[in-house]
Amino acid sequence: MKQRALSSADRLTGHFRNTAYVINESRPYFDAAHAVGLMAVQGRSTTGRTFVLGTGPLDSRPQVIDFVRCSYLGLDNHPVIVAGAIEAIEAHRSLHWSCARTRLNFDLLAQLEATLSEIFCARVIAFSSVMLANLGAMPLLASGQLTGGRKPIVVFDRTAHISLAYHKPVVADETRVETIAHNDIDALERLCRDNPVVAYVCDGVYSMGGNSPIKELRQLQERYGLFLYIDDAHGISLFGPQGQGFARSQFPQVLGDRTIIAASLAKGFGASGGMLMLGTADQEALFRRYSIPHAFSAAANLASVGAALGSCNIHRSAELGQRQRRLAQRIDLFDRRVTTAEQGNSLPIRMIAIGPEAKAIAIARELLDAGFYTSVTFFPTVGQGKAGIRVCITADHGISEIEQLCDCILKT
Amino acid sequence: MKQRALSSADRLTGHFRNTAYVINESRPYFDAAHAVGLMAVQGRSTTGRTFVLGTGPLDSRPQVIDFVRCSYLGLDNHPVIVAGAIEAIEAHRSLHWSCARTRLNFDLLAQLEATLSEIFCARVIAFSSVMLANLGAMPLLASGQLTGGRKPIVVFDRTAHISLAYHKPVVADETRVETIAHNDIDALERLCRDNPVVAYVCDGVYSMGGNSPIKELRQLQERYGLFLYIDDAHGISLFGPQGQGFARSQFPQVLGDRTIIAASLAKGFGASGGMLMLGTADQEALFRRYSIPHAFSAAANLASVGAALGSCNIHRSAELGQRQRRLAQRIDLFDRRVTTAEQGNSLPIRMIAIGPEAKAIAIARELLDAGFYTSVTFFPTVGQGKAGIRVCITADHGISEIEQLCDCILKT
């Protein structure tokens, strides 16, 4: 988010956030997008990526093909996952126990964490969302408890997801915070050279397109002991024989004591909730005692747990690879028709750059009229005057659905 | 949390948090409580408040009566709520759509929010947890957008829940933050007199016992225009003919533009997730555009939504009042046997004050051996040397279960 100039009257404020500025600048775009029916849309799923738009009797509502949801492998309505959710609730005759995870836990949740730990070859802790997984991790990172008792300077990629960037003032209350340009490996190396302990916070796959250079980050880790905290919410399940994901699949079998990967149990994974992949028993003990949502909020509910166990079965079957290949074919098909900055990167997020916010909103509305729901994106998610349309490609889209969307995009 | 003295070398850090200090001071207590099997306990529910402890074959595991869970009305295994969760998943053949609420929403979620808005006579927005509902609200409060465009000084009760207190550095990055002693109405009034715009952040019912003086807070609101943000997670459903809760039931029918109440959809309510009760259409539009979890995290999943709809039906039936009365009888029974600081306050949380951490851990273990699972509480949840045992009384506890627990407490 843009930072304002600081006056002497408020020198203690405005280092990281200026919520009023963001609201005042972006409110007209939000209101316009709501007014034409592009935001806060309601629906009910049918088959594949189609949903019935709006409310009221189902047969009176139009059908729309969805390119908004991040269910990249098309798992979010998979019968095994849906059945897993229902079976877990039926077996326990409860959906949710209202207490901290430091107290009482459904035994099924321990089973899920053990299974996830096998799949991702890490010590996995589940959370009710990635946003809370990150909230729990940031103060522990700042405290130095993850870096041998020495506080690191914590370096954020400028475009790191808000679920990470939100915590900058909290981290800065305990240690030094730096923000560097997107994927600026040179700047990061300079910081590594000049400081004894450095931690880097970034996304694996960025929600607005692109990815972190994991290979280069690993080189800095080997050279300088850099600690890496990577939110791979959008990369999970898409790569690796068991869906280890974009980030985890580029690290060795043993994760080690200098890397934590956050990921979603929704999105590519197809269930609901979030998780952290930790490398050591000490880290696990630390998080199970001091991660704030672990100690003071609730676990993922049993439906999430059961759904995730269903998805684990899919991740260990041949179906996962089939879905990964179907997704790759569809990304390739899109790339052969429509040029974007992301062309050829093998990730499922494509940004159609447009520029003026009003124009992006108008084009997204035209696409919806043609039967395609996409995400119009504007400030503060992207820079001002850099509005665009985000398309999430999934393994569940029909070839002809991708082709028709591409035709529509090229026409508008 | 305790604040350390600031040295000149770190004058920009340590204003609000000192995570390393908290960990170093409390780690022995956590390790001891884990070592004797009081923390991270696993189980499976049976009937009432009994659960089967541990893992492995069900018939080889001991049965324990639970006083840890905050399901104060005993709703968390109510068949109507469990059935609601399953029906919602079956109707939509999905558990969860992975996208922001500013994009695509299950139509059933809109139905839930409309029903909750009727019950609580407010504009209700649902969240996946109270912790995230609070995260979304704090920057909006700091921005001044809830107080006519003028930034308030934001005053926290010293014992406000960590899901509120966590955000102090974020709020302080945008406006002035003050922390006052617990329920210090005089200090709050002085701040109201000396500052044009003041917001107060507190719990309705405190998780470690006691409550906010809502009547006195309303008087300050009438006199000075004080903005109130009250987290009533532990008070929801327990009072009021439709379970409006501890805080909401003490405000007029029209909530107005100076009060926001956060509450749980779990705990007393019996489902899973959180919610905000807002007073005006402007506030609702603001939160639906700019609340960070609303725009950048996921909705409560469909099982939560279906369970909450089931609970709404219970809230609108005679059963709610019956359960409220059953709870009141059980609290009264406990109070006639065991003396606590909370005696007679009509709330379901009772703290057995013990003092030394090791002693509290030993007593909680004795209670577990006798078949009662309670929450041993110590620093940082309460002050150092002020450890104790928390007992959560519910409408679902048998009279004899309460009596036996009291006997055991008096014996130890």
Side-chain angles (χ1 to χ4, degrees):
Chain A
M1 295 192 186
K2 210 163 165 178
Q3 288 177 32
R4 62 176 172 159
L6 300 180
S7 75
S8 61
D10 59 10
R11 71 202 140 75
L12 282 176
T13 68
H15 290 104
F16 297 107
R17 300 185 58 82
N18 190 338
T19 303
Y21 175 84
V22 167
I23 292 172
N24 289 330
E25 291 293 311
S26 65
R27 187 65 189 255
Y29 317 144
F30 274 98
D31 288 347
H34 275 89
V36 299
L38 286 173
M39 298 195 89
V41 167
Q42 291 174 36
R44 180 169 296 218
S45 55
T46 55
T47 53
R49 291 299 104 190
T50 302
F51 72 91
V52 184
L53 184 69
T55 54
L58 284 175
D59 52 9
S60 69
R61 290 150 65 178
Q63 298 221 350
V64 171
I65 300 163
D66 174 50
F67 287 91
V68 164
R69 280 178 284 165
C70 302
S71 184
Y72 303 118
L73 295 180
L75 291 175
D76 67 1
N77 51 9
H78 193 291
V80 169
I81 290 175
V82 172
I86 292 172
E87 282 162 23
I89 300 172
E90 282 175 343
H92 290 257
R93 284 168 294 173
S94 281
L95 170 62
H96 180 66
W97 279 352
S98 200
C99 58
R101 292 211 53 200
T102 46
R103 307 292 179 182
L104 186 59
N105 300 271
F106 288 117
D107 52 12
L108 209 60
L109 182 50
Q111 189 184 319
L112 173 62
E113 289 180 334
T115 309
L116 292 170
S117 295
E118 283 174 27
I119 290 177
F120 296 104
C121 204
R123 292 166 177 271
V124 173
I125 304 181
F127 290 84
S128 63
S129 68
V130 189
M131 190 168 268
L132 285 185
N134 288 340
L135 184 151
M138 289 298 107
L140 296 178
L141 187 58
S143 75
Q145 298 285 311
L146 294 169
T147 43
R150 295 198 300 171
K151 289 190 179 189
I153 72 161
V154 181
V155 184
F156 287 80
D157 185 288
R158 184 171 298 284
T159 57
H161 192 258
I162 183 75
S163 68
L164 299 164
Y166 176 84
H167 305 284
K168 285 182 192 177
V170 176
V171 175
D173 197 48
E174 305 214 49
T175 191
R176 186 176 142 209
V177 167
E178 293 286 339
T179 302
I180 62 174
H182 182 47
N183 285 342
D184 189 345
I185 290 290
D186 291 340
L188 184 57
E189 180 157 19
R190 280 193 298 276
L191 287 163
C192 288
R193 265 200 302 261
D194 297 346
N195 295 278
V197 191
V198 178
Y200 182 58
V201 177
C202 64
D203 298 8
V205 172
Y206 283 85
S207 61
M208 293 297 136
N211 57 271
S212 276
I214 303 286
K215 195 180 138 202
E216 287 80 356
L217 292 174
R218 283 195 53 206
Q219 285 169 352
L220 294 186
Q221 182 170 67
E222 280 158 29
R223 208 168 296 155
Y224 303 99
L226 175 66
F227 193 99
L228 294 171
Y229 187 93
I230 304 171
D231 180 340
D232 204 27
H234 288 272
I236 197 70
S237 304
L238 307 188
F239 304 95
Q242 291 196 74
Q244 288 86 343
F246 179 81
R248 182 68 186 95
S249 64
Q250 295 184 64
F251 280 86
Q253 181 103 11
V254 175
L255 197 55
D257 63 355
R258 291 266 150 173
T259 304
I260 292 178
I261 297 171
S264 180
L265 291 173
K267 296 197 169 68
F269 196 83
S272 152
M275 65 172 143
L276 290 182
M277 303 177 204
L278 308 172
T280 72
D282 281 352
Q283 289 175 354
E284 183 180 355
L286 185 74
F287 275 81
R288 289 198 186 275
R289 284 155 179 74
Y290 296 106
S291 161
I292 287 172
H294 200 84
F296 297 102
S297 185
N301 65 35
L302 257 187
S304 306
V305 172
L309 279 166
S311 184
C312 286
N313 289 336
I314 297 169
H315 277 68
R316 291 172 145 180
S317 75
E319 185 179 347
L320 189 83
Q322 290 158 14
R323 285 181 177 265
Q324 288 173 339
R325 287 188 290 279
R326 281 171 60 93
L327 174 60
Q329 288 161 359
R330 279 149 185 78
I331 296 168
D332 185 54
L333 171 62
F334 185 94
D335 279 355
R336 279 186 274 119
R337 305 284 289 269
V338 177
T339 304
T340 63
E342 293 78 31
Q343 201 165 34
N345 75 357
S346 80
L347 300 169
I349 298 169
R350 292 291 177 264
M351 297 294 288
I352 319 293
I354 291 170
E357 287 76 11
K359 194 173 168 197
I361 290 167
I363 290 175
R365 180 65 236 190
E366 274 182 61
L367 291 175
L368 185 53
D369 290 336
F372 304 101
Y373 185 42
T374 57
S375 300
V376 57
T377 57
F378 45 73
F379 181 78
T381 304
V382 293
Q384 283 179 288
K386 292 182 178 172
I389 286 169
R390 183 175 82 161
V391 172
C392 292
I393 301 167
T394 81
D396 222 12
H397 282 110
I399 294 288
S400 68
E401 290 174 344
I402 305 265
E403 289 174 337
Q404 287 164 35
L405 172 70
C406 291
D407 290 345
C408 256
I409 289 170
L410 295 170
K411 234 188 291 172
T412 57
Chain B
M1 292 190 189
K2 211 163 163 177
Q3 287 179 32
R4 62 176 172 159
L6 300 179
S7 76
S8 62
D10 59 7
R11 69 201 141 76
L12 282 176
T13 67
H15 290 104
F16 298 107
R17 298 186 59 81
N18 190 338
T19 303
Y21 174 83
V22 167
I23 292 172
N24 290 330
E25 292 293 312
S26 65
R27 188 63 190 258
Y29 316 143
F30 274 98
D31 289 347
H34 275 89
V36 298
L38 286 173
M39 298 194 88
V41 168
Q42 291 174 37
R44 181 169 296 216
S45 54
T46 54
T47 53
R49 291 299 103 190
T50 302
F51 71 92
V52 184
L53 184 70
T55 54
L58 283 177
D59 51 10
S60 69
R61 290 150 65 179
Q63 298 220 348
V64 172
I65 300 163
D66 173 50
F67 287 91
V68 164
R69 282 178 283 165
C70 303
S71 184
Y72 304 116
L73 296 180
L75 291 175
D76 68 359
N77 52 8
H78 193 293
V80 168
I81 290 175
V82 173
I86 292 172
E87 281 162 22
I89 301 171
E90 282 175 342
H92 290 258
R93 284 168 294 174
S94 279
L95 170 64
H96 179 68
W97 279 352
S98 200
C99 58
R101 292 210 54 201
T102 46
R103 307 293 179 182
L104 186 59
N105 299 272
F106 288 116
D107 51 13
L108 209 61
L109 182 51
Q111 188 185 320
L112 173 63
E113 290 180 332
T115 309
L116 292 170
S117 296
E118 283 174 26
I119 290 176
F120 295 103
C121 204
R123 292 166 177 273
V124 173
I125 304 182
F127 290 83
S128 63
S129 67
V130 189
M131 191 167 268
L132 284 185
N134 288 339
L135 185 150
M138 288 299 107
L140 296 178
L141 187 59
S143 75
Q145 297 286 311
L146 294 169
T147 42
R150 295 199 299 171
K151 288 189 179 189
I153 72 160
V154 180
V155 184
F156 288 80
D157 186 287
R158 185 171 296 281
T159 57
H161 192 257
I162 184 73
S163 69
L164 299 165
Y166 176 84
H167 305 284
K168 284 182 192 178
V170 177
V171 175
D173 197 49
E174 305 214 50
T175 191
R176 187 177 142 206
V177 166
E178 292 287 339
T179 301
I180 62 173
H182 181 48
N183 284 342
D184 189 346
I185 290 290
D186 291 341
L188 185 57
E189 180 156 20
R190 280 193 298 276
L191 287 163
C192 287
R193 266 200 302 262
D194 296 346
N195 295 278
V197 191
V198 178
Y200 182 58
V201 177
C202 64
D203 298 8
V205 172
Y206 282 85
S207 62
M208 294 297 134
N211 56 271
S212 277
I214 303 285
K215 195 179 139 204
E216 286 80 356
L217 292 173
R218 283 195 54 206
Q219 284 168 353
L220 293 185
Q221 182 170 67
E222 280 158 28
R223 207 169 296 154
Y224 303 100
L226 175 66
F227 193 100
L228 294 171
Y229 187 93
I230 305 170
D231 180 339
D232 204 26
H234 288 272
I236 197 70
S237 304
L238 308 188
F239 303 95
Q242 291 195 72
Q244 287 87 343
F246 178 81
R248 182 69 186 95
S249 65
Q250 295 185 66
F251 280 86
Q253 180 103 12
V254 176
L255 196 56
D257 63 355
R258 292 267 150 171
T259 304
I260 292 178
I261 297 171
S264 180
L265 291 173
K267 297 197 169 67
F269 196 84
S272 151
M275 64 172 144
L276 290 182
M277 304 177 203
L278 308 172
T280 72
D282 281 353
Q283 289 175 353
E284 183 180 355
L286 185 74
F287 274 81
R288 288 198 186 276
R289 283 155 180 74
Y290 296 106
S291 161
I292 287 171
H294 200 85
F296 296 103
S297 185
N301 67 35
L302 257 188
S304 306
V305 172
L309 280 166
S311 183
C312 286
N313 289 335
I314 297 169
H315 276 68
R316 290 172 145 179
S317 74
E319 185 178 346
L320 189 83
Q322 290 158 14
R323 285 182 176 264
Q324 288 173 338
R325 285 188 291 279
R326 280 172 61 92
L327 175 60
Q329 288 160 2
R330 279 149 185 78
I331 296 168
D332 186 52
L333 170 62
F334 185 94
D335 279 354
R336 278 186 276 120
R337 304 285 289 270
V338 177
T339 305
T340 63
E342 294 78 30
Q343 202 166 34
N345 76 358
S346 80
L347 300 169
I349 299 169
R350 291 292 177 265
M351 298 294 288
I352 319 294
I354 292 171
E357 287 76 11
K359 194 173 169 200
I361 291 167
I363 292 176
R365 181 64 236 189
E366 275 182 61
L367 291 175
L368 185 54
D369 289 337
F372 305 101
Y373 185 41
T374 57
S375 300
V376 57
T377 56
F378 45 73
F379 181 77
T381 304
V382 294
Q384 283 179 285
K386 294 183 178 171
I389 286 170
R390 183 175 82 161
V391 172
C392 292
I393 302 166
T394 80
D396 223 11
H397 282 112
I399 293 289
S400 68
E401 291 173 345
I402 306 264
E403 287 173 339
Q404 288 164 35
L405 173 70
C406 291
D407 289 345
C408 256
I409 290 171
L410 295 171
K411 233 186 295 173
T412 56

